[in-house]
Amino acid sequence: MKILSFKSGHDGTVAGVDSTDGRLLFSYEAEKNSFPRYTPVTPDTFIDAGLWFKDLPDVLALSGWSSNGADHVTTSGAGYFGIGAGSETAGKRTFFGKSVDYYSSTHERAHIWCSYAMSPFRQGEPCYVLLWEGALGDFYEIDSDLTIHHRGQVMTAPGTRFAFLNALADPDFPVTGNSPRPQDPGRLMAACAFGEDGPPDADETELINRLLSSDLGGDALRKSDFVTSPFFNIGTDSQKLKNMATKLSKAIFQKFRDYAEQNLPEKHPLLIAGGCGLNGHWNTAWKQSGLFREVFVPPTTGDSGCAIGTAVDAMRHYTGQAKLEWSVYSGQSFCDDRIDTQGMTATELNLNTIAKDLLDGKIIGWTRGNCEIGPRALGNRSILAAPFSPETRTRLNRIKGRASNSPVAPSCLEEDAALHFDISAPSPYMMDFYRVTNPDLAAVTHVDGSARVQTVNRNQNPYFYDLLAAFKAASGVGALCNTSLNFKNSGFINTTRDLAHYARHVGLDGFVAGNTYYTFDNPRC
């Protein structure tokens, strides 16, 4: 049985699952291939997905969605909320002239089943799930019979409450605005590293209490109601804002931790679902809490995983199976199209040459195989550089159009990770923060001494592993700076033509596409 699943709304995605062997065939995110971030499903995405099927799919699945308004009145499929009766629908639909099974379940369920299906735990092993995002902030338990039990709501809209602080402080966010922008959570996460910890002062306490009050839902946050706050329009580079970000982040996490400690007594594994799962500091804190036997965060913890989650929910409905075989490299395949090579030299790819050029200070675009699923560049759509110099971080951030002190993540040989970071287990999806213990890695050490580390083994990504090994042979260190290969505010680059244009525009020293290494005859600094 082949299942074709759609996630509508922002972070649009089309996913395919084959229930015969429980395998994820693909997950194509609409923003990839240089489309704008958070793009809904496009005709391009749909056509690319159709290439996987010789015949029409057996099951058409639609992930539930609804409008962002307070009443969630405009719904798609099964809607946004619910895990019990009425949260799923099944029937028949005519699709391109063929009668197929049709299945839809809620956005809430999509997040839960995505994290469950992709987790390493066997089917039937009870798990807790934390779903925290822009609307939901709840704990669940999935029992041995695959029944979802609601274990309690901690607060509504934790992601929105957190992100609103950045909008409140930003003079560019209109006073009439009430919904934080998609970029606000990430910018506030970055600000936390610069904040001073400690007990909140009177102004901070008042705002924390107001933002976290139980009767204040995310849709009720209006900037116009906070014009008398000392944090109103203070600027996103203000130290007062950075301190407040650190303390608000800590307060939100503490509420969830306290609830878990009091209400989740079993040492089940914890699965993280929802956009707050992209907050590496919170993920690390859960792992360090000691409350759960293990903690798993899928690389598609945000809404881009919901098409997968609904496909799995449909598979569970029709077959009783709810686990997937999957690869993080299940996105679109790279298109190595023809380009104008004037002003460039093209040579056959040689990893030792790439390693030497990286050690010499060159910054190189790197494309291999299929796109990563989720937002993290994991060695297939990456910009790579040596990890040693702070000036490298500054240049990378200039290339990316970010503040010069923004963090840059490292990728490291799995067997060497403990030599450079305070890490005791693999971190293949770059979802957690660890302390940097090697002072030589200045380019990837954030201001708070941390780094969001990706560990790489040969089975996971053989060619990227071999490049890291070649760099280790040249430098003595099997780690590189690894940041995403994309135009600003767009998804990963996926064609040689776009890559050549990008490299010229931002000043890369060279790039790899397919089996060819392109360098510029007159490189920019």
Side-chain angles (χ1 to χ4, degrees):
M1 176 184 287
K2 288 188 171 65
I3 302 167
L4 179 63
S5 179
F6 295 85
K7 191 275 177 186
S8 56
H10 70 75
D11 293 312
T13 310
V14 184
V17 165
D18 188 341
S19 68
T20 305
D21 52 6
R23 181 167 53 97
L24 177 65
L25 300 174
F26 64 88
S27 180
Y28 290 169
E29 298 162 25
E31 71 172 37
K32 302 294 171 64
N33 201 16
S34 301
F35 283 93
R37 293 290 308 276
Y38 318 112
T39 295
V41 170
T42 63
D44 305 72
T45 323
F46 180 80
I47 291 170
D48 288 344
L51 298 175
W52 275 89
F53 296 92
K54 293 181 180 179
D55 300 305
L56 292 179
D58 303 293
V59 179
L60 191 64
L62 180 60
S63 190
W65 187 247
S66 64
S67 67
N68 291 326
D71 297 324
H72 288 267
V73 291
T74 305
T75 62
S76 175
Y80 204 100
F81 302 102
I83 58 170
S87 64
E88 58 179 333
T89 60
K92 291 283 188 179
R93 290 283 179 94
T94 299
F95 188 58
F96 289 100
K98 176 184 176 183
S99 178
V100 300
D101 287 305
Y102 170 80
Y103 181 86
S104 181
S105 59
T106 60
H107 182 76
E108 188 171 354
R109 290 174 65 113
H111 273 304
I112 293 168
W113 287 116
C114 177
S115 64
Y116 182 84
M118 298 178 79
S119 73
F121 314 113
R122 62 174 178 80
Q123 180 165 319
E125 181 175 0
C127 294
Y128 292 128
V129 181
L130 168 58
L131 170 51
W132 51 351
E133 42 118 73
L136 292 155
D138 299 65
F139 281 103
Y140 310 80
E141 183 178 349
I142 301 177
D143 67 18
S144 58
D145 296 323
L146 301 184
T147 301
I148 304 172
H149 304 274
H150 187 240
R151 296 300 299 265
Q153 181 180 86
V154 182
M155 70 172 71
T156 60
T160 302
R161 295 171 194 258
F162 178 69
F164 181 77
L165 175 60
N166 196 72
L168 176 63
D170 188 354
D172 292 335
F173 188 86
V175 69
T176 55
N178 67 328
S179 295
R181 301 155 295 191
Q183 65 267 30
D184 283 319
R187 291 178 178 175
L188 204 61
M189 277 189 273
C192 288
F194 296 88
E196 299 170 1
D197 202 358
D201 62 24
D203 288 341
E204 292 164 344
T205 298
E206 180 182 4
L207 184 57
I208 289 171
N209 289 340
R210 196 171 171 190
L211 288 175
L212 302 191
S213 62
S214 59
D215 59 347
L216 184 62
D219 293 312
L221 288 168
R222 293 179 289 270
K223 188 170 180 177
S224 58
D225 292 339
F226 290 79
V227 292
T228 61
S229 169
F231 298 92
F232 180 83
N233 284 351
I234 61 171
T236 56
D237 200 40
S238 160
Q239 186 60 47
K240 187 176 177 69
L241 179 276
K242 294 170 184 175
N243 295 346
M244 179 64 197
T246 298
K247 295 168 187 179
L248 176 62
S249 176
K250 186 174 181 179
I252 291 173
F253 179 82
Q254 194 62 44
K255 274 190 172 290
F256 280 86
R257 189 195 187 285
D258 288 347
Y259 187 93
E261 188 169 22
Q262 295 165 16
N263 296 280
L264 306 178
E266 305 295 334
K267 286 278 188 177
H268 296 329
L270 176 69
L271 314 178
I272 305 291
C276 292
L278 296 173
N279 188 318
H281 293 291
W282 287 344
N283 292 341
T284 301
W286 281 120
K287 291 182 177 182
Q288 294 174 344
S289 71
L291 298 177
F292 309 99
R293 195 182 80 239
E294 292 184 61
V295 177
F296 173 76
V297 188
T300 53
T301 183
D303 281 4
S304 63
C306 286
I308 297 173
T310 301
V312 169
D313 206 358
M315 182 171 67
R316 176 208 54 78
H317 175 83
Y318 291 108
T319 72
Q321 299 299 309
K323 303 295 290 186
L324 281 180
E325 293 291 331
W326 60 277
S327 166
V328 75
Y329 306 105
S330 295
Q332 290 92 325
S333 60
F334 186 73
C335 176
D336 189 11
D337 49 6
R338 298 184 65 179
I339 61 170
D340 178 6
T341 58
Q342 184 176 0
M344 292 189 290
T345 298
T347 57
E348 185 176 354
L349 177 61
N350 181 291
L351 296 183
N352 292 325
T353 300
I354 301 289
K356 179 181 180 302
D357 284 354
L358 289 167
L359 185 58
D360 287 343
K362 291 186 177 180
I363 293 180
I364 295 172
W366 175 266
T367 59
R368 298 289 300 181
N370 291 2
C371 277
E372 300 88 335
I373 58 176
R376 305 289 187 233
L378 301 172
N380 277 19
R381 300 292 183 275
S382 295
I383 299 172
L384 304 177
F388 306 118
S389 170
E391 288 74 24
T392 299
R393 180 178 63 242
T394 300
R395 187 181 166 203
L396 281 168
N397 282 323
R398 185 168 65 245
I399 286 170
K400 296 283 291 181
R402 303 184 301 206
S404 62
N405 57 4
S406 297
V408 172
S411 293
C412 180
L413 294 171
E414 183 180 293
E415 63 266 29
D416 288 358
L419 301 175
H420 311 300
F421 308 99
D422 183 16
I423 186 172
S424 58
S427 177
Y429 310 122
M430 205 183 278
M431 302 297 282
D432 307 289
F433 282 92
Y434 299 94
R435 306 295 297 179
V436 181
T437 57
N438 182 349
D440 293 334
L441 304 187
V444 298
T445 304
H446 200 22
V447 66
D448 61 356
S450 71
R452 193 179 64 217
V453 180
Q454 180 202 12
T455 58
V456 182
N457 63 48
R458 183 177 291 281
N459 290 334
Q460 171 189 341
N461 191 328
Y463 219 82
F464 191 41
Y465 177 92
D466 287 345
L467 176 62
L468 289 166
F471 186 76
K472 179 181 179 180
S475 70
V477 173
L480 288 168
C481 297
N482 176 9
T483 190
S484 57
L485 181 63
N486 61 294
F487 293 95
K488 190 173 183 180
N489 299 321
S490 299
F492 296 159
I493 290 170
N494 205 45
T495 68
T496 305
R497 181 178 56 183
D498 277 356
L499 179 50
H501 172 69
Y502 178 84
R504 286 190 173 104
H505 180 70
V506 303
L508 295 182
D509 298 305
F511 60 91
V512 171
N515 291 313
T516 306
Y517 178 34
Y518 298 88
T519 54
F520 292 99
D521 299 336
N522 296 297
R524 293 167 54 185
C525 297

